[in-house]
Amino acid sequence: MKRIQTIEDLAINGARPAFDQPLHVGRPNIGSRETFLNYAEDIFDRRWLSNNGPLVQEFEQRVADYHGVKHCVAICNGTVALEIAIRALGLTGEVIVPSYTFIATAHALHWQAITPVFADIDERTHTLDPAAVRNMITPRTTGIIGVHLWGNSAPVEELQAIADEFNLKLMFDAAHAFGCSYKGKMIGSFGSCEVFSFHATKFFNTFEGGAVVTNDDELAETMRLMRNFGFAGFDNVIYPGTNGKMIEIAAAMGLVNFDAIDDVISANRLNYQTYQKELSGLPGIRLLSFDEAERNNYQYVVVQVESDCPVSRDRIVDALHAENVLARKYFWPGCHKMKPYRELFPHAGLLLPITQKVADGVVVMPTGTAMDGEMVRAVASIIRILVGKGS
Ligand code: T4K
Protein backbone atom coordinates (compact mmCIF):
# COMPACT_ATOMS: atom_id res chain seq x y z
CA MET A 1 0.00 0.00 0.00
CA LYS A 2 1.43 3.34 -1.09
CA ARG A 3 0.77 6.53 0.84
CA ILE A 4 -0.79 9.35 -1.16
CA GLN A 5 0.48 12.73 0.02
CA THR A 6 0.30 15.11 -2.90
CA ILE A 7 -1.63 15.37 -6.12
CA GLU A 8 1.45 14.04 -7.99
CA ASP A 9 1.11 10.76 -6.06
CA LEU A 10 -2.24 10.02 -7.72
CA ALA A 11 -2.34 7.27 -10.35
CA ILE A 12 -4.49 9.51 -12.61
CA ASN A 13 -1.36 11.70 -12.75
CA GLY A 14 0.85 8.80 -13.82
CA ALA A 15 2.00 7.48 -10.43
CA ARG A 16 1.84 3.83 -9.34
CA PRO A 17 -1.56 2.83 -7.87
CA ALA A 18 -1.97 3.09 -4.10
CA PHE A 19 -3.04 -0.56 -3.86
CA ASP A 20 -1.45 -3.50 -5.67
CA GLN A 21 -4.60 -5.60 -5.39
CA PRO A 22 -8.12 -4.30 -6.10
CA LEU A 23 -10.22 -3.26 -3.09
CA HIS A 24 -13.81 -4.32 -3.69
CA VAL A 25 -17.15 -3.12 -2.41
CA GLY A 26 -18.93 -6.23 -1.15
CA ARG A 27 -15.91 -8.42 -0.42
CA PRO A 28 -17.56 -11.44 1.24
CA ASN A 29 -17.49 -11.75 5.03
CA ILE A 30 -16.66 -15.35 5.84
CA GLY A 31 -16.91 -17.06 9.24
CA SER A 32 -14.97 -20.07 10.52
CA ARG A 33 -13.65 -22.22 7.65
CA GLU A 34 -13.12 -25.15 9.98
CA THR A 35 -16.76 -25.16 11.11
CA PHE A 36 -17.90 -24.81 7.51
CA LEU A 37 -15.79 -27.79 6.44
CA ASN A 38 -17.24 -29.85 9.30
CA TYR A 39 -20.73 -29.01 8.07
CA ALA A 40 -19.68 -30.02 4.56
CA GLU A 41 -18.49 -33.43 5.84
CA ASP A 42 -21.85 -33.91 7.59
CA ILE A 43 -23.71 -33.06 4.40
CA PHE A 44 -21.73 -35.67 2.46
CA ASP A 45 -22.23 -38.25 5.22
CA ARG A 46 -25.98 -37.67 5.23
CA ARG A 47 -26.25 -37.52 1.44
CA TRP A 48 -28.95 -34.94 1.82
CA LEU A 49 -28.01 -31.99 -0.35
CA SER A 50 -31.17 -30.01 -0.99
CA ASN A 51 -34.99 -30.07 -0.63
CA ASN A 52 -35.65 -28.72 2.84
CA GLY A 53 -32.72 -30.48 4.47
CA PRO A 54 -31.89 -30.34 8.19
CA LEU A 55 -29.40 -27.45 7.85
CA VAL A 56 -31.90 -25.35 5.89
CA GLN A 57 -34.47 -25.95 8.63
CA GLU A 58 -31.97 -25.04 11.36
CA PHE A 59 -30.93 -21.96 9.42
CA GLU A 60 -34.54 -20.83 8.96
CA GLN A 61 -35.14 -21.12 12.70
CA ARG A 62 -32.06 -19.03 13.47
CA VAL A 63 -33.00 -16.30 11.01
CA ALA A 64 -36.55 -16.18 12.40
CA ASP A 65 -35.33 -16.08 16.03
CA TYR A 66 -32.70 -13.46 15.29
CA HIS A 67 -35.25 -11.11 13.72
CA GLY A 68 -38.05 -11.91 16.13
CA VAL A 69 -40.39 -13.14 13.42
CA LYS A 70 -42.52 -16.27 13.22
CA HIS A 71 -41.52 -17.72 9.85
CA CYS A 72 -38.45 -17.71 7.65
CA VAL A 73 -38.75 -19.31 4.22
CA ALA A 74 -35.22 -19.76 2.87
CA ILE A 75 -34.87 -19.28 -0.88
CA CYS A 76 -32.07 -19.77 -3.44
CA ASN A 77 -31.48 -16.00 -3.82
CA GLY A 78 -33.03 -12.65 -2.96
CA THR A 79 -34.49 -12.04 -6.42
CA VAL A 80 -36.45 -15.30 -6.48
CA ALA A 81 -37.48 -14.60 -2.86
CA LEU A 82 -38.93 -11.24 -4.03
CA GLU A 83 -40.75 -12.96 -6.91
CA ILE A 84 -42.22 -15.60 -4.64
CA ALA A 85 -43.33 -13.02 -2.06
CA ILE A 86 -44.88 -10.80 -4.75
CA ARG A 87 -46.78 -13.75 -6.20
CA ALA A 88 -47.83 -15.17 -2.85
CA LEU A 89 -49.24 -11.77 -1.87
CA GLY A 90 -51.31 -11.77 -5.06
CA LEU A 91 -49.93 -8.49 -6.36
CA THR A 92 -51.05 -7.57 -9.89
CA GLY A 93 -51.34 -4.48 -12.10
CA GLU A 94 -49.07 -1.77 -10.71
CA VAL A 95 -46.85 -1.79 -7.65
CA ILE A 96 -45.08 1.28 -6.30
CA VAL A 97 -41.33 0.95 -5.70
CA PRO A 98 -38.37 3.29 -5.50
CA SER A 99 -36.30 3.65 -8.66
CA TYR A 100 -33.28 4.17 -6.44
CA THR A 101 -32.62 0.52 -5.62
CA PHE A 102 -30.83 -2.48 -7.11
CA ILE A 103 -32.48 -3.45 -10.39
CA ALA A 104 -33.75 -6.76 -8.93
CA THR A 105 -36.52 -4.95 -7.01
CA ALA A 106 -38.06 -3.76 -10.29
CA HIS A 107 -37.25 -6.93 -12.23
CA ALA A 108 -38.99 -9.15 -9.68
CA LEU A 109 -42.24 -7.29 -10.43
CA HIS A 110 -41.67 -7.23 -14.18
CA TRP A 111 -41.14 -11.01 -14.15
CA GLN A 112 -44.57 -11.40 -12.58
CA ALA A 113 -46.06 -9.23 -15.38
CA ILE A 114 -46.57 -6.38 -12.90
CA THR A 115 -45.65 -2.77 -13.76
CA PRO A 116 -43.20 -1.24 -11.31
CA VAL A 117 -44.22 2.38 -10.79
CA PHE A 118 -41.35 4.46 -9.48
CA ALA A 119 -41.80 6.90 -6.62
CA ASP A 120 -39.22 9.39 -5.40
CA ILE A 121 -37.12 9.08 -2.25
CA ASP A 122 -36.18 11.03 0.84
CA GLU A 123 -32.78 12.65 0.35
CA ARG A 124 -31.78 12.04 3.96
CA THR A 125 -32.41 8.27 4.12
CA HIS A 126 -32.52 7.27 0.41
CA THR A 127 -35.77 5.38 1.10
CA LEU A 128 -39.30 5.95 -0.27
CA ASP A 129 -40.89 9.34 0.34
CA PRO A 130 -44.47 8.64 1.54
CA ALA A 131 -45.83 11.80 -0.12
CA ALA A 132 -44.38 10.69 -3.46
CA VAL A 133 -45.90 7.22 -2.99
CA ARG A 134 -49.33 8.76 -2.47
CA ASN A 135 -48.97 10.68 -5.76
CA MET A 136 -48.30 7.52 -7.75
CA ILE A 137 -51.39 5.56 -6.67
CA THR A 138 -53.83 4.75 -9.49
CA PRO A 139 -56.84 2.41 -9.74
CA ARG A 140 -54.42 -0.31 -10.94
CA THR A 141 -52.16 -0.10 -7.88
CA THR A 142 -52.23 -3.23 -5.72
CA GLY A 143 -49.17 -2.80 -3.54
CA ILE A 144 -46.08 -0.99 -2.32
CA ILE A 145 -42.58 -2.40 -1.92
CA GLY A 146 -40.45 -0.31 0.40
CA VAL A 147 -36.70 -0.86 0.28
CA HIS A 148 -34.58 -0.53 3.43
CA LEU A 149 -31.70 0.81 1.38
CA TRP A 150 -28.22 0.57 2.87
CA GLY A 151 -29.89 -0.93 5.98
CA ASN A 152 -31.77 2.34 6.67
CA SER A 153 -35.37 1.52 7.43
CA ALA A 154 -38.00 2.70 4.96
CA PRO A 155 -40.75 4.81 6.63
CA VAL A 156 -42.68 1.72 7.69
CA GLU A 157 -45.45 3.43 9.66
CA GLU A 158 -46.27 6.03 6.99
CA LEU A 159 -46.23 3.38 4.26
CA GLN A 160 -48.47 1.09 6.32
CA ALA A 161 -50.93 3.97 6.82
CA ILE A 162 -51.06 4.58 3.06
CA ALA A 163 -51.46 0.85 2.38
CA ASP A 164 -54.34 0.65 4.87
CA GLU A 165 -56.02 3.76 3.50
CA PHE A 166 -55.96 2.55 -0.12
CA ASN A 167 -56.34 -1.16 0.63
CA LEU A 168 -52.89 -2.01 -0.77
CA LYS A 169 -50.48 -4.78 0.18
CA LEU A 170 -47.19 -3.67 1.69
CA MET A 171 -43.94 -5.64 1.66
CA PHE A 172 -40.30 -4.73 2.05
CA ASP A 173 -37.13 -5.46 0.17
CA ALA A 174 -34.81 -5.88 3.16
CA ALA A 175 -31.88 -7.16 1.07
CA HIS A 176 -29.54 -4.71 2.85
CA ALA A 177 -31.12 -4.80 6.28
CA PHE A 178 -30.20 -8.11 7.88
CA GLY A 179 -29.52 -7.40 11.54
CA CYS A 180 -30.94 -3.86 11.44
CA SER A 181 -33.74 -2.39 13.54
CA TYR A 182 -36.38 0.32 13.36
CA LYS A 183 -37.49 1.96 16.62
CA GLY A 184 -35.79 -0.87 18.45
CA LYS A 185 -37.68 -3.61 16.60
CA MET A 186 -35.73 -5.82 14.23
CA ILE A 187 -36.46 -5.45 10.54
CA GLY A 188 -38.36 -8.56 9.42
CA SER A 189 -41.83 -8.16 10.80
CA PHE A 190 -42.97 -5.00 9.03
CA GLY A 191 -45.63 -5.10 6.29
CA SER A 192 -46.98 -8.47 5.17
CA CYS A 193 -43.48 -9.84 4.68
CA GLU A 194 -39.87 -8.81 4.20
CA VAL A 195 -37.22 -10.20 1.87
CA PHE A 196 -33.54 -10.68 2.68
CA SER A 197 -30.69 -11.34 0.28
CA PHE A 198 -27.77 -13.49 1.36
CA HIS A 199 -25.71 -12.85 -1.75
CA ALA A 200 -21.93 -13.13 -1.39
CA THR A 201 -21.59 -9.35 -1.29
CA LYS A 202 -24.14 -8.84 1.48
CA PHE A 203 -23.45 -8.21 5.16
CA PHE A 204 -24.53 -11.79 5.81
CA ASN A 205 -24.09 -14.35 3.04
CA THR A 206 -24.89 -17.95 2.15
CA PHE A 207 -22.81 -17.72 -1.08
CA GLU A 208 -26.10 -17.05 -2.91
CA GLY A 209 -29.35 -17.04 -1.00
CA GLY A 210 -32.33 -15.19 0.28
CA ALA A 211 -35.38 -15.55 2.48
CA VAL A 212 -38.85 -14.23 3.03
CA VAL A 213 -39.74 -13.60 6.66
CA THR A 214 -43.29 -13.10 7.86
CA ASN A 215 -45.62 -13.45 10.83
CA ASP A 216 -48.43 -14.63 8.55
CA ASP A 217 -48.87 -18.45 8.85
CA GLU A 218 -50.86 -18.82 5.65
CA LEU A 219 -48.49 -16.67 3.59
CA ALA A 220 -45.50 -18.67 4.86
CA GLU A 221 -47.22 -21.94 3.93
CA THR A 222 -48.04 -20.66 0.43
CA MET A 223 -44.44 -19.57 -0.12
CA ARG A 224 -43.07 -22.94 1.03
CA LEU A 225 -45.34 -24.56 -1.54
CA MET A 226 -44.29 -22.13 -4.25
CA ARG A 227 -40.57 -22.60 -3.73
CA ASN A 228 -40.88 -26.38 -4.25
CA PHE A 229 -42.79 -26.58 -7.57
CA GLY A 230 -46.13 -26.52 -5.72
CA PHE A 231 -45.68 -30.02 -4.26
CA ALA A 232 -48.03 -30.79 -1.37
CA GLY A 233 -46.65 -34.27 -0.72
CA PHE A 234 -45.55 -37.10 -3.02
CA ASP A 235 -47.05 -36.95 -6.51
CA ASN A 236 -49.40 -34.12 -5.63
CA VAL A 237 -48.85 -30.72 -7.21
CA ILE A 238 -51.45 -28.15 -6.24
CA TYR A 239 -49.83 -24.97 -7.54
CA PRO A 240 -47.68 -24.01 -10.59
CA GLY A 241 -44.64 -23.36 -8.36
CA THR A 242 -41.01 -22.70 -9.12
CA ASN A 243 -37.68 -23.99 -7.87
CA GLY A 244 -36.62 -21.53 -5.20
CA LYS A 245 -35.05 -23.96 -2.76
CA MET A 246 -31.99 -23.17 -0.71
CA ILE A 247 -29.35 -25.94 -0.75
CA GLU A 248 -27.71 -27.47 2.31
CA ILE A 249 -24.22 -26.12 1.66
CA ALA A 250 -25.66 -22.58 1.46
CA ALA A 251 -27.44 -23.06 4.78
CA ALA A 252 -24.15 -24.34 6.27
CA MET A 253 -22.47 -21.10 5.20
CA GLY A 254 -25.31 -19.16 6.83
CA LEU A 255 -24.98 -21.05 10.10
CA VAL A 256 -21.23 -20.42 10.13
CA ASN A 257 -21.73 -16.74 9.36
CA PHE A 258 -24.22 -16.37 12.19
CA ASP A 259 -21.35 -16.92 14.59
CA ALA A 260 -19.37 -14.14 12.90
CA ILE A 261 -22.09 -11.48 12.91
CA ASP A 262 -20.79 -9.48 15.87
CA ASP A 263 -17.23 -9.43 14.52
CA VAL A 264 -18.43 -8.27 11.11
CA ILE A 265 -20.53 -5.48 12.63
CA SER A 266 -17.56 -4.34 14.73
CA ALA A 267 -15.25 -4.27 11.72
CA ASN A 268 -17.82 -2.47 9.56
CA ARG A 269 -18.61 0.06 12.29
CA LEU A 270 -14.96 0.84 12.86
CA ASN A 271 -14.38 1.31 9.13
CA TYR A 272 -17.46 3.53 8.89
CA GLN A 273 -16.27 5.68 11.81
CA THR A 274 -12.81 5.96 10.29
CA TYR A 275 -14.24 7.07 6.95
CA GLN A 276 -16.45 9.54 8.84
CA LYS A 277 -13.46 11.03 10.67
CA GLU A 278 -11.16 11.12 7.64
CA LEU A 279 -13.75 12.66 5.31
CA SER A 280 -15.28 15.13 7.74
CA GLY A 281 -15.13 18.81 6.81
CA LEU A 282 -14.42 18.21 3.12
CA PRO A 283 -16.40 20.59 0.89
CA GLY A 284 -19.33 18.85 -0.82
CA ILE A 285 -18.52 15.43 0.66
CA ARG A 286 -21.15 13.97 2.97
CA LEU A 287 -21.27 10.50 4.47
CA LEU A 288 -24.76 9.00 4.74
CA SER A 289 -25.34 8.55 8.45
CA PHE A 290 -26.94 5.74 10.40
CA ASP A 291 -29.25 6.24 13.36
CA GLU A 292 -26.98 5.18 16.22
CA ALA A 293 -30.04 4.47 18.40
CA GLU A 294 -30.84 1.55 16.08
CA ARG A 295 -29.06 -1.68 15.29
CA ASN A 296 -27.13 -1.25 12.04
CA ASN A 297 -24.90 -3.56 10.05
CA TYR A 298 -22.84 -0.69 8.53
CA GLN A 299 -22.35 -2.78 5.38
CA TYR A 300 -22.50 0.18 3.02
CA VAL A 301 -20.34 3.27 3.40
CA VAL A 302 -22.17 5.76 1.21
CA VAL A 303 -20.44 8.99 0.23
CA GLN A 304 -22.61 11.66 -1.30
CA VAL A 305 -20.81 14.12 -3.55
CA GLU A 306 -22.79 17.37 -3.45
CA SER A 307 -22.88 20.18 -6.01
CA ASP A 308 -20.46 22.34 -3.96
CA CYS A 309 -17.72 19.69 -4.19
CA PRO A 310 -14.85 21.03 -6.31
CA VAL A 311 -14.49 17.61 -8.01
CA SER A 312 -17.27 15.68 -9.75
CA ARG A 313 -18.52 12.31 -8.51
CA ASP A 314 -17.32 10.62 -11.71
CA ARG A 315 -13.86 12.16 -11.39
CA ILE A 316 -13.65 10.80 -7.83
CA VAL A 317 -14.71 7.32 -8.96
CA ASP A 318 -12.23 7.37 -11.88
CA ALA A 319 -9.42 8.45 -9.56
CA LEU A 320 -10.28 5.75 -7.00
CA HIS A 321 -10.41 3.07 -9.71
CA ALA A 322 -7.00 4.17 -10.98
CA GLU A 323 -5.69 3.50 -7.45
CA ASN A 324 -7.30 0.01 -7.54
CA VAL A 325 -10.09 1.13 -5.19
CA LEU A 326 -13.18 -0.22 -6.94
CA ALA A 327 -15.76 2.10 -5.36
CA ARG A 328 -19.22 1.82 -6.93
CA LYS A 329 -21.83 4.25 -8.26
CA TYR A 330 -24.71 2.28 -6.73
CA PHE A 331 -27.53 2.60 -7.89
CA TRP A 332 -26.78 4.88 -10.78
CA PRO A 333 -28.54 5.81 -13.01
CA GLY A 334 -31.70 4.56 -11.23
CA CYS A 335 -33.96 1.75 -12.45
CA HIS A 336 -36.09 4.21 -14.44
CA LYS A 337 -33.12 4.94 -16.69
CA MET A 338 -32.24 1.30 -17.38
CA LYS A 339 -33.37 0.04 -20.78
CA PRO A 340 -36.43 -2.07 -19.79
CA TYR A 341 -37.94 0.72 -17.69
CA ARG A 342 -36.72 3.67 -19.76
CA GLU A 343 -38.84 2.25 -22.56
CA LEU A 344 -41.79 1.75 -20.23
CA PHE A 345 -41.65 5.23 -18.66
CA PRO A 346 -39.68 7.63 -20.88
CA HIS A 347 -40.60 10.63 -18.70
CA ALA A 348 -40.29 9.02 -15.25
CA GLY A 349 -37.35 11.25 -14.42
CA LEU A 350 -39.64 14.30 -14.28
CA LEU A 351 -41.22 12.85 -11.14
CA LEU A 352 -37.97 11.68 -9.60
CA PRO A 353 -35.81 14.76 -8.92
CA ILE A 354 -34.34 13.47 -5.64
CA THR A 355 -33.65 10.04 -7.14
CA GLN A 356 -31.73 11.70 -9.99
CA LYS A 357 -29.77 13.93 -7.64
CA VAL A 358 -28.86 11.12 -5.26
CA ALA A 359 -28.01 8.65 -8.05
CA ASP A 360 -25.73 11.24 -9.66
CA GLY A 361 -23.89 11.91 -6.41
CA VAL A 362 -23.33 8.61 -4.63
CA VAL A 363 -20.09 6.66 -4.31
CA VAL A 364 -20.12 3.45 -2.25
CA MET A 365 -16.77 2.74 -0.62
CA PRO A 366 -15.09 -0.58 0.10
CA THR A 367 -15.43 -1.82 3.66
CA GLY A 368 -15.91 -5.13 5.50
CA THR A 369 -13.64 -7.52 7.31
CA ALA A 370 -11.11 -7.49 4.46
CA MET A 371 -10.34 -3.81 5.23
CA ASP A 372 -8.53 -2.34 8.21
CA GLY A 373 -8.17 1.22 9.51
CA GLU A 374 -4.92 1.84 7.69
CA MET A 375 -6.49 0.86 4.38
CA VAL A 376 -9.53 3.06 5.04
CA ARG A 377 -7.28 6.02 5.88
CA ALA A 378 -5.33 5.47 2.65
CA VAL A 379 -8.54 5.36 0.61
CA ALA A 380 -9.89 8.50 2.29
CA SER A 381 -6.62 10.33 1.65
CA ILE A 382 -7.19 9.89 -2.10
CA ILE A 383 -10.48 11.78 -1.82
CA ARG A 384 -8.94 14.42 0.44
CA ILE A 385 -6.14 15.10 -2.04
CA LEU A 386 -8.61 15.22 -4.91
CA VAL A 387 -10.78 17.85 -3.27
CA GLY A 388 -7.65 19.77 -2.37
CA LYS A 389 -7.85 19.38 1.39
CA GLY A 390 -5.00 17.63 2.95
CA SER A 391 -2.34 15.02 2.71
N1 T4K B 1 -32.73 -5.98 -3.65
C1 T4K B 1 -31.67 -5.20 -3.37
C2 T4K B 1 -31.89 -3.87 -2.75
C3 T4K B 1 -30.38 -5.67 -3.64
O1 T4K B 1 -29.31 -4.89 -3.38
C4 T4K B 1 -30.21 -6.94 -4.21
C5 T4K B 1 -28.88 -7.42 -4.54
C6 T4K B 1 -31.36 -7.73 -4.47
C7 T4K B 1 -32.61 -7.20 -4.18
C8 T4K B 1 -31.29 -9.09 -5.09
O2 T4K B 1 -30.74 -10.05 -4.20
P1 T4K B 1 -29.92 -11.31 -4.87
O3 T4K B 1 -30.80 -11.95 -5.90
O4 T4K B 1 -28.62 -10.77 -5.45
O5 T4K B 1 -29.70 -12.21 -3.68
C9 T4K B 1 -24.17 -6.92 -6.43
C10 T4K B 1 -24.86 -8.23 -6.06
O6 T4K B 1 -24.75 -9.18 -7.10
C11 T4K B 1 -26.29 -8.07 -5.70
O7 T4K B 1 -26.63 -9.23 -4.96
C12 T4K B 1 -26.50 -6.87 -4.80
N2 T4K B 1 -27.88 -6.63 -4.54
C13 T4K B 1 -25.89 -5.65 -5.42
C14 T4K B 1 -26.04 -4.45 -4.51
O8 T4K B 1 -24.52 -5.86 -5.60
P2 T4K B 1 -23.17 -6.12 -8.67
O9 T4K B 1 -23.69 -6.11 -10.05
O10 T4K B 1 -22.62 -4.87 -8.13
O11 T4K B 1 -22.14 -7.35 -8.46
P3 T4K B 1 -20.61 -7.44 -8.85
O12 T4K B 1 -20.41 -8.75 -9.52
O13 T4K B 1 -20.16 -6.22 -9.56
O14 T4K B 1 -19.91 -7.55 -7.43
C15 T4K B 1 -19.78 -6.46 -6.56
C16 T4K B 1 -18.38 -6.41 -6.00
O15 T4K B 1 -18.18 -7.48 -5.10
C17 T4K B 1 -17.28 -6.48 -7.03
O16 T4K B 1 -16.37 -5.44 -6.81
C18 T4K B 1 -16.61 -7.82 -6.78
C19 T4K B 1 -16.96 -8.17 -5.36
N3 T4K B 1 -17.18 -9.60 -5.14
C20 T4K B 1 -18.29 -10.19 -5.68
C21 T4K B 1 -18.52 -11.52 -5.47
C22 T4K B 1 -19.75 -12.18 -6.06
C23 T4K B 1 -16.25 -10.33 -4.42
O17 T4K B 1 -15.24 -9.77 -3.96
N4 T4K B 1 -16.47 -11.66 -4.21
C24 T4K B 1 -17.58 -12.30 -4.70
O18 T4K B 1 -17.77 -13.52 -4.47
O19 T4K B 1 -24.38 -6.61 -7.76
Side-chain angles (χ1 to χ4, degrees), residues 24-25 27-28 78-79 102 104 173 175-176 197 199 201-202 328 330:
H24 294 279
V25 169
R27 204 81 177 132
T79 306
F102 188 58
D173 177 337
H176 297 182
S197 161
H199 181 255
T201 57
K202 291 291 183 291
R328 298 295 294 265
Y330 288 147

Side-chain angles (χ1 to χ4, degrees), residues 339-361:
K339 189 171 179 287
Y341 307 106
R342 195 167 65 219
E343 286 171 359
L344 213 56
F345 304 109
H347 306 300
L350 295 174
L351 293 167
L352 303 169
I354 307 296
T355 298
Q356 308 240 85
K357 184 178 169 205
V358 169
D360 287 346

Side-chain angles (χ1 to χ4, degrees), residues 40-320:
E41 291 286 358
D42 291 348
I43 292 170
F44 289 131
D45 290 347
R46 265 195 302 273
R47 288 181 184 258
W48 195 275
L49 309 185
S50 183
N51 292 26
N52 204 25
L55 295 183
V56 165
Q57 292 179 34
E58 187 182 338
F59 175 68
E60 290 183 330
Q61 194 58 53
R62 281 195 79 171
V63 173
D65 291 347
Y66 188 73
H67 293 90
V69 67
K70 244 168 123 180
H71 304 282
C72 167
V73 183
I75 310 274
C76 55
N77 62 55
T79 306
V80 173
L82 280 169
E83 287 170 16
I84 287 178
I86 286 164
R87 203 168 164 123
L89 278 178
L91 299 180
T92 56
E94 294 176 0
V95 169
I96 299 173
V97 284
S99 165
Y100 192 62
T101 176
F102 188 58
I103 198 72
T105 321
H107 280 351
L109 288 165
H110 206 337
W111 269 53
Q112 297 302 317
I114 295 168
T115 308
V117 172
F118 300 118
D120 214 357
I121 52 167
D122 177 335
E123 192 169 354
R124 203 178 39 88
T125 61
H126 296 183
T127 63
L128 273 178
D129 170 3
V133 170
R134 231 168 232 285
N135 283 341
M136 304 312 285
I137 295 172
T138 75
R140 295 191 69 226
T141 310
T142 61
I144 304 167
I145 303 181
V147 181
H148 304 305
L149 208 75
W150 318 128
N152 270 334
S153 161
V156 293
E157 286 143 348
E158 290 92 332
L159 293 179
Q160 190 62 63
I162 296 172
D164 293 344
E165 183 182 337
F166 292 91
N167 197 22
L168 306 174
K169 295 273 172 50
L170 173 65
M171 60 174 270
F172 291 96
D173 177 337
H176 297 182
F178 191 96
C180 299
S181 69
Y182 173 70
K183 290 197 176 164
K185 187 174 172 190
M186 294 301 278
I187 298 282
S189 39
F190 297 110
S192 296
C193 62
E194 306 212 46
V195 175
F196 290 124
S197 161
F198 308 136
H199 181 255
T201 57
K202 291 291 183 291
F203 161 71
F204 177 92
N205 84 84
T206 60
F207 296 104
E208 286 270 4
V212 191
V213 287
T214 181
N215 285 319
D216 182 329
D217 300 344
E218 205 180 317
L219 187 65
E221 210 33 57
T222 307
M223 292 189 296
R224 287 187 193 284
L225 193 73
M226 285 179 164
R227 79 167 167 188
N228 188 27
F229 311 102
F231 271 107
F234 280 139
D235 311 322
N236 184 25
V237 172
I238 59 168
Y239 185 85
T242 185
N243 183 354
K245 289 175 270 109
M246 177 178 273
I247 57 174
E248 285 289 272
I249 199 72
M253 184 68 155
L255 290 169
V256 164
N257 284 338
F258 252 110
D259 296 333
I261 283 179
D262 292 343
D263 291 344
V264 177
I265 292 180
S266 300
N268 279 354
R269 184 155 188 262
L270 201 60
N271 288 342
Y272 165 74
Q273 288 169 334
T274 309
Y275 272 117
Q276 204 172 34
K277 183 161 164 265
E278 298 291 313
L279 297 175
S280 77
L282 297 186
I285 297 286
R286 188 169 69 82
L287 207 62
L288 192 88
S289 59
F290 295 99
D291 182 347
E292 292 294 337
E294 301 292 349
R295 289 177 67 168
N296 300 300
N297 61 34
Y298 304 94
Q299 178 70 1
Y300 294 97
V301 175
V302 181
V303 170
Q304 206 156 336
V305 182
E306 312 274 3
S307 55
D308 56 334
C309 183
V311 196
S312 74
R313 187 275 302 268
D314 288 1
R315 174 82 171 155
I316 291 175
V317 171
D318 288 349
L320 288 169

